[in-house]
Amino acid sequence: MTVAQLIEPLELTLLTPQTSLEREVTGGCVCDLLSFVMARGDAGMAWITVQTHLNVIAVASLHEFSCVIVAEGSAVEPETLAKATEEDIPVLRSALSEYTLSGRLYALGVR
Amino acid sequence: MERIEKETTYQETRKVEKGDFAAAGQISASYKNMLKRLGVDSKVVRRLAIASYEAEINLAIHTFGGSMTITVYPDHIVLVVKDTGPGIADIGLAMQEGYSTASEQVRMLGFGAGMGLPNMKRCSDTFEITSELGIGTTIEMGFLLTP
Ligand SMILES: Nc1ncnc2c1ncn2[C@@H]1O[C@H](COP(=O)(O)OP(=O)(O)O)[C@@H](O)[C@H]1O
Ligand SMILES: [Mg+2]
């Protein structure tokens, strides 16, 4: 399953139009504590969070996550999106909750 | 630390300013790119990137500022993280998973889970921390480069 294929079922809007959506989503992670994500993250994960500051992109990039999914329609600072574009980390947003998003991701077969 | 090895392939020192969250992650990202270019095993690159990221964040959150020095030897990498204070009163306590003195503001950003030092220890092959109140803290981490 690619990042592009998550857009419809998870009701996502792409906030970084210049990033690649062809990356495989090989796992998921739902967490707002960056140190937890640092400790437990793995390459290819889709990261669902309500954190939207610059360091989210730093962590996503270090782990080579497939994308960052911002839940609850949270506002994302332009600097975060600029950094995400630079690092080629797709940032997508949904009005859905972290709980619903992770449920749908799981139901799509992403383990 | 005083060990002098002849065949140093690369050494670089960079400063981290107090409170500079926006820049945090830049040093670990540059390490990652450099080590990948040098052909270092991706698992080692990953461990070093995680450890250096936690170190970078700690310098920004908990210290008056400091520096990170990476030295790449043919068979191992040494990362030295040094700051100018305030120092750690009880290292045993600081090393405990979940212990954190981070401010509410810093916690709001998702830091301050008290996992940074344990993460660094877990990700490195050797880990040494020394600290003196009013002087500062030094962490030295080693990473083996197995062929
Ligand atoms: N370089 C340092 N200088 C002073 N205190 C530190 C330093 N590094 C860590 N500490 C102390 O140790 C605690 C635990 O650190 P850490 O495991 O990285 O967790 P966190 O950064 O989430 O608080 C910190 O909250 C702080 O009190
Ligand atoms: Mg820390």
Side-chain angles (χ1 to χ4, degrees), chain A residues 35, chain B residues 54 57-58 61-62 112 114-117 120:
Chain A
S35 278
Chain B
E54 293 287 4
I57 289 290
N58 274 6
I61 295 178
H62 302 300
M115 293 178 65
L117 291 172
M120 286 182 227

Side-chain angles (χ1 to χ4, degrees), chain A residues 32-36 38-43 51 53-55 58-59 61-64 83, chain B residues 21-22 24-25 28-29 32 36 46 49-50 53-54 57 108-111 113 115 119 122:
Chain A
D32 300 315
L33 292 175
L34 272 65
S35 278
F36 269 76
M38 250 359 260
R40 313 245 161 88
D42 215 340
Q51 295 286 1
H53 55 88
L54 265 182
N55 271 278
V59 171
S61 171
L62 280 181
H63 274 312
E64 296 173 9
K83 173 96 173 159
Chain B
F21 293 112
S28 27
K32 189 178 149 188
K36 266 185 162 176
R46 194 183 154 72
I50 293 172
Y53 179 79
E54 293 287 4
I57 289 290
M108 286 290 289
L109 295 173
F111 301 115
M115 293 178 65
N119 267 359
R122 192 175 47 82

Side-chain angles (χ1 to χ4, degrees), chain A residues 46-67:
Chain A
W47 178 14
I48 301 170
T49 180
V50 293
Q51 295 286 1
T52 58
H53 55 88
L54 265 182
N55 271 278
V56 169
I57 305 306
V59 171
S61 171
L62 280 181
H63 274 312
E64 296 173 9
F65 283 164
S66 52
C67 62

Side-chain angles (χ1 to χ4, degrees), chain A residues 29-34 47-53 56 68-77 94-99 101, chain B residues 108-110:
Chain A
C29 166
V30 190
C31 193
D32 300 315
L33 292 175
L34 272 65
W47 178 14
I48 301 170
T49 180
V50 293
Q51 295 286 1
T52 58
H53 55 88
V56 169
V68 173
I69 298 175
V70 175
E72 308 271 6
S74 305
V76 185
E77 293 112 71
S94 174
L96 300 172
S97 69
E98 294 183 324
Y99 177 75
L101 285 167
Chain B
M108 286 290 289
L109 295 173

